[in-house]
Amino acid sequence: MLGLIGAIVATVVISRHTSFEANLLRAPGAPFVVEDGRVRNSFTLHLVNKEDEKATFELSAEGVDLAASPRVEVAPLDDARVTVVVSTPRRAEGEPLEAPGQEGPRGGGRSWTPPW
């Protein structure tokens, strides 16, 4: 009985394994900037490759301008930090903020679109 429970737990753990992790962190001490009718914000994107082979990540964003390297390669079982600068036109007060976002493979690599 204990062996069966162990097998079930192992199956659940293995099936929930993800091949990568992506965390978007606000750059410490860097406030947003409003300049020439645009809002600009700095972030650090932390990518973790959990696979035993090199991973290529393609960065993209919808609805904002993204200043970052569009492709990031991460060695097997390693991580990388990428500075990302996002800018968008300043919205009128009370205008809703749309937040598109998606995850999934694209173009043979891995793709992550931030949810802004």
Side-chain angles (χ1 to χ4, degrees), residues 61-106:
E62 297 176 17
V64 297
D65 294 329
L66 180 67
S69 176
R71 294 176 65 95
V72 179
E73 291 188 353
V74 182
L77 304 173
D78 203 359
D79 68 330
R81 294 182 187 272
V82 180
T83 299
V84 177
V85 179
V86 177
S87 66
T88 187
R90 184 175 181 179
R91 289 174 168 60
E93 188 173 330
E95 185 178 345
L97 176 65
E98 295 179 20
Q102 64 184 12
E103 293 184 39
R106 182 190 299 166

Side-chain angles (χ1 to χ4, degrees), residues 24 45 59-62 64 66 84 86 99-102 112-116:
L24 189 64
L45 178 61
L59 307 181
S60 65
E62 297 176 17
V64 297
L66 180 67
V84 177
V86 177
Q102 64 184 12
W112 180 73
T113 301
W116 62 70

Side-chain angles (χ1 to χ4, degrees), residues 4-30:
L4 178 62
I5 293 172
I8 292 171
V9 170
T11 302
V12 170
V13 169
I14 291 171
S15 68
R16 291 188 179 184
H17 173 74
T18 57
S19 61
F20 74 97
E21 185 176 313
N23 296 295
L24 189 64
L25 310 167
R26 183 152 164 88

